[in-house]
Amino acid sequence: MDIVIVPTAADVATHAADVVADRIAEKPGTVLGVATGSSPVGIYRELALRRAEGSLDLAHLTCFALDEYVGLPPQHPRSYAAYLGREVVRPFGLAPEQVRVPDASRADLGGAAEEYERAIAAAGGIDLQILGIGTNGHIGFNEPISSLSSRTRVAALSAQTRADNARFFDRPDDVPTHCLTQGLGTILEARQVLLVAQGERKAAAVAAAVEGPVAARCPASVLQFHPRTTLVLDEAAASGLTIGDGHSPVPDQGDGRGPDGSAPAS
Ligand code: F6R
């Protein structure tokens, strides 16, 4: 994992937008996995700004949402389809068909989940997946004890996640109880992962994801297995990390050799 720690949430947005823009420069038809919630909003606004200024062309993107609430129709303002309409489709200048969202309004949710996996595969897989992290370590809505190899499926939201997301709804009871979410196995297949976190309330989850054991207790820890993951954190979100600049957890052998006795790198 690459860990980038920047001073503020605004810096997280700028740095993460740079990562996305670099990817799009390499491949204009990038397949972008788009998280919702508050964490990525600054990235989307920064990308939209660069597009408006003429320095970034987003026209060839295909986007796939991470998840959608079960029980909210797409036109409901709190659905993730509506969120992506506001934050991605219109500001990026995309056609609605360029941004896919799991169809959580279908009676056959299992079929909708399978169809979503097929759509991702048909698009050639996700090039860059943007993620936030829940205070309990979830990514997507893969809550603690999700299978580390899970695929897109119906999942229940934990009590903690429903309480965290109550801020988006009029009443806590209005927060849906279930969602369709990409699985951890699905997320791991993205070629590149970019996770952003801001604020102290994410510090414990970030520390568990980065420094803890890979365990279903902290679903984001599965990213330790991903070959190309970058975390962009503000200082508050990084405040629980103990292994960082200026800290040398591996004792020096005194002769330039590594801890296993290997010769120094030339
Ligand atoms: C959103 C998602 C979630 C959020 C997480 C953090 O599509 O899948 O994993 O990224 O709950 O939410 P915020 O960013 O609102 O703190």
Side-chain angles (χ1 to χ4, degrees):
M1 281 182 180
D2 287 332
I3 315 290
V4 179
I5 302 171
V6 293
T8 68
D11 299 319
V12 170
T14 315
H15 188 89
D18 287 346
V19 174
V20 179
D22 286 350
R23 195 78 192 87
I24 294 169
E26 283 167 21
K27 183 181 174 191
T30 289
V31 179
L32 191 64
V34 283
T36 52
S38 49
S39 305
V41 168
I43 308 176
Y44 302 145
R45 295 193 179 161
E46 178 65 26
L47 293 171
L49 190 67
R50 294 181 193 187
R51 171 181 176 262
E53 289 169 352
S55 60
L56 184 63
D57 183 2
L58 300 170
H60 305 289
L61 290 181
T62 300
C63 301
F64 283 90
L66 253 186
D67 37 30
E68 178 59 290
Y69 288 122
V70 172
L72 299 188
Q75 57 278 12
H76 189 288
R78 295 297 158 222
S79 75
Y80 287 153
Y83 168 109
L84 289 168
R86 288 190 300 271
E87 298 293 346
V88 171
V89 177
R90 288 191 286 281
F92 286 16
L94 303 178
E97 312 79 70
Q98 286 175 273
V99 180
R100 299 282 302 259
V101 180
D103 186 357
S105 60
R106 258 171 64 169
D108 169 20
L109 289 169
E114 282 171 21
E115 190 176 287
Y116 202 62
E117 289 272 345
R118 283 196 296 273
I120 292 172
I126 290 175
D127 293 308
L128 173 57
Q129 176 64 58
I130 298 172
L131 296 175
I133 183 170
T135 56
N136 61 2
H138 72 219
I139 50 176
F141 278 129
N142 296 284
E143 300 284 27
I145 72 164
S146 293
S147 158
L148 298 181
S149 60
S150 50
R151 309 302 307 186
T152 302
R153 69 198 184 290
V154 183
L157 271 57
S158 69
Q160 186 173 336
T161 297
R162 292 188 72 229
D164 286 345
N165 286 7
R167 68 191 193 282
F168 297 117
F169 291 82
D170 292 337
R171 289 181 303 273
D173 281 353
D174 291 347
V175 183
T177 56
H178 290 79
C179 63
L180 265 183
T181 182
Q182 284 188 35
L184 294 171
T186 318
I187 292 169
L188 282 178
E189 283 173 7
R191 294 181 188 91
Q192 186 178 356
V193 172
L194 173 65
L195 185 150
V196 292
Q198 308 91 344
E200 214 202 321
R201 70 190 187 98
K202 298 292 177 69
V206 166
V210 175
E211 297 180 358
V214 175
R217 173 180 292 276
C218 177
S221 65
V222 79
L223 294 173
Q224 293 177 31
F225 284 131
H226 191 277
R228 195 175 175 197
T229 285
T230 302
L231 271 66
V232 184
L233 313 169
D234 68 8
E235 282 172 1
S239 60
L241 297 175
T242 60
I243 304 171
D245 287 347
H247 176 79
S248 177
V250 179
D252 187 350
Q253 300 293 291
D255 59 357
R257 287 178 179 272
D260 59 355
S262 58
S266 52

